[in-house]
Amino acid sequence: MRILVTGGAGFIGSHLCERLLNEGHDVICLDNLFTGSRDNIIHLMDSHRFELIRHDIVEPILLEVDRIYNLACPASPVHYQYNPVKTVKTSVMGAINMLGMAKRVKARILQASTSEVYGDPQVHPQTEGYWGNVNPIGIRSCYDEGKRVAETLMMDYHRQNGVDIRIIRIFNTYGPRMAENDGRVVSNFILQALRNQDITVYGDGSQTRSFCYVSDLVEGMIRMMECDNFTGPVNLGNPVENSILEFAQKIITIANSSSKITFKPLPQDDPKQRQPDISLAGARLGWKPLVALDEGLVATAGYFAARIGKG
Ligand code: NAD
Ligand code: UDP
């Protein structure tokens, strides 16, 4: 098949492009290289079945493809809050442009949505039936509400125009090729531990997250794209939940680091708890994550160690 991956030069997108190429597909990576980089896909450039198009998804484009994975959107709070208006445009106009293309060329389209549609959740763990607790006017809203509108657009193009859609809600995912400067907890803590610097826990560290290794996520994405008669939304994530303080301690141990933990102010609207209920993905896709947290963190720490010359 000819497959378009928007945001394909980013962290998750680059792993997806690699996997799709390995499966024998033609892959077009569309990216404006805002948070992604050529480094992430340089090893794919030699393949005659791989193509990079430098393009901003906010502008329309027409490509003849069979599948569209719509991932283009900065994902870390530091990056999506850098230019919040652009973040909303990327999610909303990007979804409209990709859905318009899907409608015209009759492609199936998968939208990368997020656990952030649940906001600071009052239902725990989060099931797909939960409508969420999102602040519409806070500093995370440009991302959360942008993704919620992207989901709405997907459903409306499906109901109104019969577009073949899939929606996945991705929970915190980590692995090699996360950007060093993206401010997310996994990259921050690993880099701090490798450099024996203080580990910056925001708040008292009692807030929780559940971390999924990128290869598990990519498997779930492809299963969802290729399954029949199921639009989703479906949660994809690893249900093993850790407090951020426990997570900091785990990383110090894995990196064999002499770092100390230091506490910084908790950012506004930081969700207090997050854990996916993945029963639906299990039932409909036969999917569950396979990579244990320690195993995935060792691989990720190895990647960052090589990046900063400590490998
Ligand atoms: P990332 O920042 O590494 O990748 C995003 C990619 O989109 C980058 O390559 C960036 O350059 C590109 N991009 C951004 N704006 C663009 C625009 N206007 N036009 C074209 N390209 C643009 O982030 P990621 O972690 O790989 O996330 C990928 C997708 O998965 C995003 O849609 C994100 O919202 C979603 N997601 C990720 C996580 C996670 O934990 N990583 C969790 C939930 C959802
Ligand atoms: N966090 C932290 N220290 C850091 C970076 C993040 O304690 O250096 C916390 C952050 O406040 C949040 C959790 O780790 O509670 C996950 O943050 P991240 O930005 O990775 O993702 P998100 O909040 O979007 O889930």
Side-chain angles (χ1 to χ4, degrees), residues 75-306:
S76 94
V78 171
H79 286 152
Y80 70 64
Q81 287 163 18
Y82 171 75
N83 184 345
V85 172
K86 181 65 193 263
T87 300
V88 176
K89 284 186 183 172
T90 297
S91 276
V92 177
M93 294 162 73
I96 291 173
N97 287 332
M98 289 306 114
L99 280 158
M101 189 200 300
K103 179 179 157 191
R104 186 145 163 204
V105 304
K106 297 195 169 29
R108 182 178 292 175
I109 178 167
L110 177 145
Q111 173 65 36
S113 184
T114 168
S115 54
E116 287 282 321
V117 299
Y118 302 122
D120 190 8
Q122 290 166 340
V123 167
H124 194 73
Q126 291 77 56
T127 53
E128 291 83 353
Y130 177 49
W131 290 355
N133 177 35
V134 175
N135 177 357
I137 55 169
I139 56 171
R140 296 177 84 102
S141 316
C142 59
Y143 183 72
D144 302 6
E145 299 288 15
K147 291 286 188 179
R148 287 170 68 100
V149 174
E151 287 198 14
T152 306
L153 285 162
M154 293 284 286
M155 292 307 298
D156 283 334
Y157 269 81
H158 175 63
R159 285 185 288 249
Q160 197 175 325
N161 301 109
V163 175
D164 191 8
I165 63 148
R166 303 284 183 273
I167 301 171
I168 57 168
R169 293 183 178 151
I170 304 172
F171 283 64
N172 296 64
T173 299
Y174 71 100
R177 301 193 207 126
M178 295 185 85
E180 274 168 51
N181 62 346
D182 80 0
R184 282 188 269 191
V185 69
V186 177
S187 43
N188 271 10
F189 283 7
I190 289 180
L191 285 164
Q192 289 161 346
L194 291 172
R195 293 173 171 143
N196 295 310
Q197 295 167 344
D198 284 352
I199 307 263
T200 53
V201 169
Y202 301 160
D204 62 6
S206 61
Q207 72 272 31
T208 66
R209 294 291 185 276
S210 310
F211 297 98
C212 183
Y213 193 64
V214 64
S215 58
D216 282 332
L217 177 75
V218 166
E219 175 68 29
M221 293 175 92
I222 293 173
R223 283 190 192 209
M224 181 60 178
M225 178 64 106
E226 298 310 328
C227 78
D228 290 327
N229 304 318
F230 179 45
T231 60
V234 68
N235 290 338
L236 294 179
N238 190 320
V240 177
E241 184 183 14
N242 283 269
S243 75
I244 293 302
L245 188 57
E246 286 164 355
F247 190 62
Q249 286 152 348
K250 186 181 269 300
I251 287 185
I252 290 174
T253 308
I254 282 173
N256 196 18
S257 167
S258 60
S259 291
K260 301 275 173 291
I261 291 174
T262 168
F263 294 91
K264 301 266 181 196
L266 188 67
Q268 194 191 320
D269 290 342
D270 199 280
K272 283 183 272 308
Q273 53 182 0
R274 181 178 294 153
Q275 182 191 30
D277 180 320
I278 56 166
S279 345
L280 188 61
R284 298 301 297 254
L285 311 175
W287 177 85
K288 65 171 194 257
L290 301 176
V291 180
L293 184 57
D294 283 30
E295 189 189 337
L297 286 176
V298 167
T300 311
Y303 167 81
F304 281 116

